[in-house]
Amino acid sequence: MMAQEYCCASADEGAESGPHVPFVLERREKVEENWRTAVSHQLKKQCTCSSERAKAQVLGFVPILKWLPRYQLKEWILGDIMSGLIVGILLVPQSIAYSLLAGQDPIYGLYTSFFSSIIYTLLGTSRHISVGIFGVLCLLVGQVVDRELALAGYITESIRNNATLGLGMGNSTGGPVCDRSCYAIMVGTTVTFTAGVYQVLMGLLQVGFVSVYLSDSLLSGFATGASLTILTSQVKYLLGLELPRAQGWGSLVKTWVSLFQNLGQTNLCDLVTSMVCLAVLVPTKELNDRFKAKLKAPIPFELFVVIAATLASHFGHFEEEYGSKVAGAIPTGFLPPQLPSWSLIPNVAVDAFSIAIVGFAITVSLSEMFAKKHGYVVDPNQEMYAIGFCNILPSFFRCFTTSAALTKTLVKESTGCQTQMSGLVTALVLLLVLLVISPLFYSLQRCVLAVIILVNLRGALLKFTDVPRMWRVNRLDTAIWLVTMATSALINTELGLLVGVMVSAFCVLGRTQRAQALELGRAGHRELYEDLASYKGLQSQPGVAIFRYEAPIYYANQSLFKKALYRCLGLDPVKEKARRRKLEKHRRKQEEVAMTTGGEGGTKGKEKELTTKVFLPNQVNFHSVVIDCSPVLFLDTAGVNALKEVYKDYKENGVQVFLAQCNTSVLESLNSGGYYPEKGMGEKERVFFTISDAVLYAQSLSSQNGDCDTSC
């Protein structure tokens, strides 16, 4: 469609009739491709097979084949070895500790960190993120595991080797198939497998873009709320209490109530050990953070505490003498592969979906953040594949869900990491522990593992101190953070993520509902129009009101747009029409009364026929309205109809309406929505490319018709 259909008359017409001739652009003709042709073209493009395409697909799916041949050994190897070694040392105590949070035995946490490090090295595109155990995902997995254990007949953690299963897991004679630990990892691996399948399917469907809908404030609030739940779940280990994990909504409150009710059963040995470990780890963590710029690598105080606590527990006989709970036997080597429980998938499918979304969102946000910082690009869809296979493949080796973790990623970056090769070094450290060292942790108290978890929550919990600053910067983002955090902590962790997404969506919609409506003025002789209420020295244009609505116009806010326009300009054409009808009726009634009186009054009544010409109210001093459409990103059918109604209603009141600075999407919506009448070329002169053209045209047209004095 040509530009003249969106602007005013041509130059020749303007020379004869006199109105201002605006700037005209000629739009390119769009050739609309038949949908069958488009589908055929896409199928041919996707299904065409060649050696170059096959090579590109393989290199894209296995990125290590692309970057490994270009690996700069002398420049990068030292940094990768150092960072991989440090992260591996930190992962040993954390893997054992977070197994407790996921409701699993310690060995499974080591398996999880080992396999995920190798697989992400092969498939990941980020050079810096550390993929492995993440506290929030461990919490979500642990909640599912505890729920399924309770349904299967395992009520408390003390019921282990002698417990029987209750939901079809027994054999034909009713005997047990596996103990509590066996069933727990079966549930964990099934959740992990299902979450991985979701993530790979999302990668196949190219839906990596969904991460943009999870804002930083939403993810931060969700992580902080989950951290409060994690903290609450670990207090029982600090006190040495044997309590079942609270299930359902409000689990945080239920847990605290249960803790206070059982305070009298506190194990003093566990309590003292917890206090000593906290007294050591909290200040040393602070020292690591404060002097991280001077330290080449963070000091692994957690590992030192684990070693010291294990030695003290072993030689002090804490388990035998004081009844302290310890990690127990940790086998060496690897167990044979095992398929997930297919019968459990319907039970955990919904939980696995939320876990998949959280894991993907955390991984992609961290990978993009560090890629931007170091000047390279990551592929969100490939990250989806990578994290998906980091869950699918390890699930056969009794691992649970993984994702990127911020703390270990920061350590990895600060210790000189250059490429994904550092992940292989981390895996070698964990392999050494799995094959040789793991049995030495038999006497490690569980309360020490709980302390390690709590200390690593410090960063998330410190977010509460940032709330005043966040409130000053952006109140809406802070409100999203608070709602998501409170819902995740006080009601339900998975529900917190859903509520956060919904609140974020409503906030975006709310901004279009509360869009600013501005009356514009001109800055001197420049073609610059801004809000009269915000800037000094702006001049109104004689006889022309200029209006700007700073939002798209669509079905949800089209009525608000009209109200804002009428309120800003001080003229509601609908009410004005009703007022005139009432006045018309009143005049006719007076005329009829005058005619019935006869004589001179009747003659005067006949002479006072009601004029059909429309006159504006005395307080309105404009004959034209220009709507600046530059902030209007799009129009739907309701938005086009709203503009048509505005044009029609104002025209009936003697006011012309013009649109200015419309983008191509808005122009196409106006054309397809029938905004331009099919007949009468003069009425097509409604849309202009600049505000100045619209103002000058309106003023010249009014001057030519001699209406300016009458209207004003």
Side-chain angles (χ1 to χ4, degrees), residues 45 73-74 156 209 258 309 349 385 424 428 444 460 477 588 609:
K45 181 180 178 181
L73 188 65
K74 293 182 180 180
T156 65
F209 65 89
S258 181
Y385 287 130
L424 292 181
L428 289 175
L444 179 61
D477 284 345
R588 285 181 178 175
E609 294 180 357

Side-chain angles (χ1 to χ4, degrees), residues 94 97-98 100-101 226-239 256 274-275 277-278 281-282 285 302 446-462:
Q94 290 186 15
Y98 281 110
L100 192 69
L101 185 60
S227 298
L228 290 176
T229 305
I230 294 172
L231 183 150
T232 301
S233 69
Q234 298 306 298
V235 173
K236 64 181 181 180
Y237 297 109
L238 301 182
L239 302 177
W256 281 106
S274 301
M275 294 300 103
C277 292
L278 282 171
L281 286 178
V282 170
K285 278 278 188 179
E302 292 174 347
R446 291 192 172 194
C447 62
V448 177
L449 301 178
V451 168
I452 293 174
I453 293 174
L454 294 185
V455 171
N456 282 284
L457 295 177
R458 176 172 160 272
L461 297 177
L462 284 176

